[in-house]
Amino acid sequence: MASARLFFTCLITCSMFLLTFPCFAANQKVTLSLYYDTLSISCATFIVKNLAKIFDDNLITIFNLRLVPWGDVYANKSNNSTAFCQHRPDQCKLNSLQSCAIDVMHDVNKHFALIYYIEFLAIEGRQKEWETCFRSLGLPKKHILDCYNCSNATKLEQNYGNEIMHLNPPLEFVPWLVLNNQPTGNDYENFAGYVCKAYKCKIVSMT
């Protein structure tokens, strides 16, 4: 019953959007990837005010959410372990911390909660207080900090950077949302409608 209600809610929402996404295999969830800069106000605002709603209305149950903290970071071609960040050094630190959180805490509910809290602080200019997020959420930080303090964080960031370099069409700005390999472009705030329409398409393909 819950799935039926969710489907019809999506069906109503999607009727407001004209963009058509191709149908995908019925045994796969819709995949939404968010490429973002941890200290970009537009990215932080989108995460806190828009993306967080998917956990309130249970929309998260119909798609896989991938968070890719990278943004305006440029690798030194002569030294792949070095990165230059637009908001450095805080941006590089938070990129690595959030990358480690995603890698260590596989549960999207947990790592999104931490990222949400950090981005909320970023909006208020209090990103240096990021350690308070662990205490407030009751999340252990040891494994995340272990990842951050070793080469794992660098490898994760390099993998994200390589992924972004090979996006087709290429990333133009952040936040940059890609739904089943199709970017939403400037209409990223209306991502829920695109997700629902893609999900409806999958359901139709089952009939």
Side-chain angles (χ1 to χ4, degrees), residues 186-197:
N186 288 315
D187 202 27
Y188 59 84
E189 290 185 352
N190 294 319
F191 75 95
Y194 295 131
V195 168
C196 288
K197 193 157 192 173

Side-chain angles (χ1 to χ4, degrees), residues 37-195:
D37 170 354
T38 54
L39 288 185
S40 162
I41 294 301
S42 59
C43 292
T45 301
F46 173 74
I47 290 172
V48 171
K49 294 187 176 180
N50 297 91
L51 193 58
K53 294 178 181 178
I54 65 175
F55 294 91
D56 296 330
D57 58 19
N58 216 30
L59 189 62
I60 186 64
T61 60
I62 67 172
F63 71 95
N64 296 313
L65 175 63
R66 295 185 63 250
L67 298 167
V68 183
W70 179 257
D72 295 324
V73 183
Y74 303 92
N76 185 340
K77 294 181 180 179
S78 64
N79 181 359
N80 289 332
S81 65
T82 303
F84 299 91
C85 308
Q86 185 182 49
H87 305 283
R88 57 182 182 171
D90 285 349
Q91 182 195 10
C92 283
K93 176 183 289 186
L94 293 179
N95 280 344
S96 295
L97 282 169
Q98 292 189 18
S99 296
C100 284
I102 294 166
D103 187 63
V104 171
M105 296 188 294
H106 297 157
D107 186 343
V108 65
N109 293 278
K110 291 183 178 180
H111 66 241
F112 182 83
L114 181 63
I115 290 170
Y116 172 94
Y117 207 118
I118 293 174
E119 295 306 307
F120 181 83
L121 292 179
I123 292 174
E124 297 189 339
R126 297 191 294 129
Q127 62 272 9
K128 293 184 184 297
E129 301 174 23
W130 58 268
E131 289 191 71
T132 63
C133 301
F134 291 94
R135 294 194 297 270
S136 298
L137 296 170
L139 294 174
K141 63 181 180 180
K142 182 182 184 302
H143 294 306
I144 294 175
L145 292 184
D146 286 347
C147 168
Y148 173 74
N149 290 320
C150 70
S151 59
N152 283 357
T154 301
K155 291 177 182 178
L156 291 171
E157 285 296 290
Q158 288 176 345
N159 289 338
Y160 285 154
N162 184 63
E163 177 181 338
I164 289 172
M165 287 176 59
H166 290 88
L167 286 177
N168 185 22
L171 181 148
E172 298 179 15
F173 52 81
V174 290
W176 185 255
L177 267 71
V178 177
L179 173 62
N180 284 342
N181 299 319
Q182 296 291 327
T184 60
N186 288 315
D187 202 27
Y188 59 84
E189 290 185 352
N190 294 319
F191 75 95
Y194 295 131
V195 168

